[in-house]
């Protein structure tokens, strides 16, 4: 089927899952399956990762996807394309160049007039001296001064005009850079589509899934509470920035803490040896081809060529039974693990001939993150016959003739990440072997580079990236309503939903350090998901109070959030020290410390105040400390405190007061007392 006759199915973006870096998008398309089975799903962004393409048929319609690949088309933009910003930038650049040219011409005139000087005529040797016409000199000087005055006045106007135009140009360029790149600024439009091969008839709905670069998010919260009440509401929000090349308009958003590029291969456990130290063996990067490489494709050749077979693009995954694989379990090369988890033999020039010893041990390559299926890599191998309508690419050179002696691989053949496994449809001398790939095209690389710029965006205040705060767990948060996020590379706020939490208002003061009462909120996580660290905006009685940071809170955990000083609650502290001696021979010094704390509540609601004091601690068994107060030691399970911390918890009614008295005695033997020491501290 020719490329022009492939039916087009318009797709709509349905859901987006934003990860710590990158996103996973799902599009839906519906239509009638044509006779040839090939359709082109349009609307894919330019920054998609071809290796992540997936497709499947939704519903039990009996139709399945047997092939999928990414296809790029190029063409001129529509004349009605809304490129107002681009045209404004081009017009302002022309205005700026014209203003700069007028300024330069004015400077040239000023330089020319400034160079005007009276030049006396040359005098011959026999001529007498002539008198200088002073009036002419003065008239010339007046002319130059008057002319320069007018020129400098015009120069100031031209420079001011140039500054205004440059300012407008800078603002327009900044606005263009922050605008959505859903419609590219180039004069040639490149569109990406997924060419699917369907096996079935009738109506079908297809879901196309792909990964994109250039999307990040950080959590944020909105906490609302009322004075005197122990309940409130915590609203989870997220700041999302994306530059994927498509605007997310009216889509369902989900946020995940996982990393799409995280390695999934298992670590290699090396043996522990006792004895003389031995250097680690250097793994070989080359291995000879297996003897029966051509025989691996006997079943594939016997099955014949399918009439509806379509070449699959690199990385395309197919929902449903795939075509018969080329049994890659026996093709491989040893040495270090091959990036991408690809098993296959290297080119003939890279290894030996097909007559390698079959008794040589074979190793299986370890899979790595982002591994591309063998069938997908086979489709993207150089030298493959292009599909109808696909853009023509450079033809890979034929494999070099076999050589004798040790292999001499070049730098491209040692770049394991760029090696591509040739598929079963390649010529007999290429299939089942690894060859250096051609890499990304410049257009895709430019879109990928622009998409990656969002990772360097400055974070909002108190914001923490999800991977830094999530720790060892991964969670997903689904937004309650669809959202709109343009592809402009700036932060946009998305409301995720309300989180049930427990709130308890507490007032804390440490009068020995500062005679001020502080308001805090004890926040408890009552959900099965952890609350990530991030900024939280606190509103009390529907009035904004402050923005502070919320730490990571595990399920069932508690944390304290400070809200600042409570000016309506007063605290006063007074101390008294009495020194005396005790014992049979007055050989013990007794330091009696008395503490008096007064609290006053000027709020219209009752409050609970926690007063913190500290009792001295000692490691000397001869020094005794006797407490004389009704305070209590804190519970170290909920919060860490300094050694010797003591707590008073007081319930103050509205407009009420309270007085707290406490103290302690320090008994020091006379032989261990410090003469002239500061015993108050």
């Amino acid at each position: 089927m020719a490329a022009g006759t492939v039916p087009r199915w318009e797709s709509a973006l349905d859901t987006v899952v934003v990860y710590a870096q990158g996103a996973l998008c799902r599009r839906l398309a519906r239509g009638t399956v044509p006779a040839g089975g090939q359709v082109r799903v349009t609307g894919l962004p330019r920054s998609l990762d071809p290796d992540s393409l997936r497709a499947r048929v939704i519903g039990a319609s009996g139709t399945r996807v047997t092939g999928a690949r990414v296809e790029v088309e190029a063409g001129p933009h529509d004349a009605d394309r809304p490129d107002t910003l681009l045209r404004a930038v081009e017009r302002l650049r022309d205005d700026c160049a014209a203003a700069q040219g007028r300024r330069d011409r004015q400077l040239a005139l000023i330089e020319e007039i400034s160079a005007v000087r009276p030049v006396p005529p040359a005098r011959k040797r026999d001529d007498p001296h002539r008198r200088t016409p002073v009036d002419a000199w003065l008239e010339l000087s007046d002319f130059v001064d008057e002319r320069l005055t007018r020129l400098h006045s015009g120069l100031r106007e031209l420079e001011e005009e140039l500054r205004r135009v440059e300012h407008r140009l800078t603002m327009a360029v900044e606005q263009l850079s922050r605008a959505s790149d859903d419609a590219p600024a180039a004069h040639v439009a490149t569109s990406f589509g997924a060419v699917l091969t369907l096996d079935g008839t009738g109506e079908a709905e297809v879901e196309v899934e792909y990964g994109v670069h250039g999307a990040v998010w950080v959590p944020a919260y909105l906490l609302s509470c009322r004075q005197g009440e122990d309940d409130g509401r915590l609203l989870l929000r997220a700041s999302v920035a994306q530059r994927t090349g498509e605007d997310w308009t009216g889509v369902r958003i989900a946020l995940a803490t996982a990393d799409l590029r995280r390695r999934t291969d298992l670590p290699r456990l090396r043996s522990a040896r006792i004895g003389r130290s031995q250097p680690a063996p250097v793994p070989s990067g080359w291995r000879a081809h297996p003897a029966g490489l051509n025989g691996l494709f006997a079943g594939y050749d016997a099955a014949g060529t399918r009439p509806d077979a379509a070449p699959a693009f690199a990385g395309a995954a197919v929902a449903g039974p795939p075509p018969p694989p080329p049994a890659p379990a026996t093709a491989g090369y040893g040495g270090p693990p091959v990036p991408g988890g690809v098993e296959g033999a290297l080119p003939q020039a890279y290894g030996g001939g097909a007559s390698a010893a079959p008794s040589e041990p074979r190793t299986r390559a370890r899979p790595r993150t982002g591994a591309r299926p063998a069938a997908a890599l086979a489709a993207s191998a150089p030298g493959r016959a292009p599909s109808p309508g696909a853009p023509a690419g450079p033809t890979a050179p034929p494999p070099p003739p076999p050589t004798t002696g040790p292999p001499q691989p070049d730098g491209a053949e040692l770049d394991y990440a760029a090696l591509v496994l040739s598929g079963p449809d390649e010529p007999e001398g290429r299939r089942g072997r690894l060859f250096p790939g051609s890499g990304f095209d410049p257009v895709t690389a430019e879109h990928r580079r622009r998409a990656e710029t969002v990772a360097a965006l400055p974070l909002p205040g108190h914001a923490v990236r999800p991977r830094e705060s999530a720790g060892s767990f991964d969670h997903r948060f689904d937004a309650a309503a669809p959202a709109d996020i343009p592809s402009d590379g700036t932060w946009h706020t998305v409301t995720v939903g309300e989180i049930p939490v427990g709130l308890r208002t507490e007032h804390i003061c440490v009068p020995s350090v500062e005679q001020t009462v502080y308001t805090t909120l004890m926040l408890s996580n009552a959900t099965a998901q952890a609350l990530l660290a991030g900024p939280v905006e606190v509103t009390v009685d529907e009035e904004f109070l402050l923005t502070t940071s919320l730490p990571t809170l595990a399920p069932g955990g508690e944390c304290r959030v400070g809200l600042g000083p409570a000016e309506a609650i007063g605290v006063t502290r007074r101390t008294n020290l009495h020194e005396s001696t005790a014992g049979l021979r007055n050989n013990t010094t007794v330091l009696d410390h008395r503490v008096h704390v007064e609290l006053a509540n000027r709020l219209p609601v009752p409050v609970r105040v926690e007063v913190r004091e500290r009792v001295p601690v000692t490691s000397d068994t001869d020094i005794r400390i006797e407490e004389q107060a009704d305070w209590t030691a804190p519970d170290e399970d909920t919060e860490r405190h300094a050694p010797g911390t003591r707590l008073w918890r007081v319930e103050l009614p509205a407009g009420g007061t309270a007085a707290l008295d406490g103290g302690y005695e320090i008994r020091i033997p006379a032989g261990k007392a410090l003469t002239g020491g500061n015993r108050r501290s």
Side-chain angles (χ1 to χ4, degrees), residues 391-411:
T395 304
T403 58
T404 58
Q408 300 293 332
D410 57 10

Side-chain angles (χ1 to χ4, degrees), residues 129 360 627:
H129 291 281
E360 183 178 358
E627 303 180 26

Side-chain angles (χ1 to χ4, degrees), residues 408-423:
Q408 300 293 332
D410 57 10
E413 293 171 337
L414 290 177
D415 187 5
Y416 298 140
L419 295 179
V420 178
L421 179 66
S422 301

Side-chain angles (χ1 to χ4, degrees), residues 217-224 233-239 462 464 469 477 493-494 496-499 501 523 525 529-539 544 546-553:
W217 75 281
V218 290
Y221 304 92
L222 176 62
L223 181 61
S224 302
R233 55 191 301 265
L234 182 66
L235 192 64
L236 173 60
R237 301 185 298 182
S239 298
H462 303 287
V464 181
S469 59
F477 307 91
T493 302
V494 177
V496 179
E498 187 173 350
I499 300 177
V501 294
L523 185 67
N525 184 9
Q529 291 182 326
L531 299 182
L532 304 179
V536 53
E537 299 180 2
V538 182
T539 60
F544 175 75
L546 81 165
T547 300
T548 184
S549 59
L550 180 72
T552 300
L553 193 59

Side-chain angles (χ1 to χ4, degrees), residues 81-103:
R81 184 175 62 94
D83 53 356
T84 308
L85 291 177
L86 179 60
R87 293 180 180 177
V89 170
E90 294 176 352
R91 185 181 67 255
L92 287 174
R93 283 176 178 167
D94 294 340
D95 295 344
C96 185
Q100 188 172 3
R102 290 192 295 269
R103 193 273 311 269

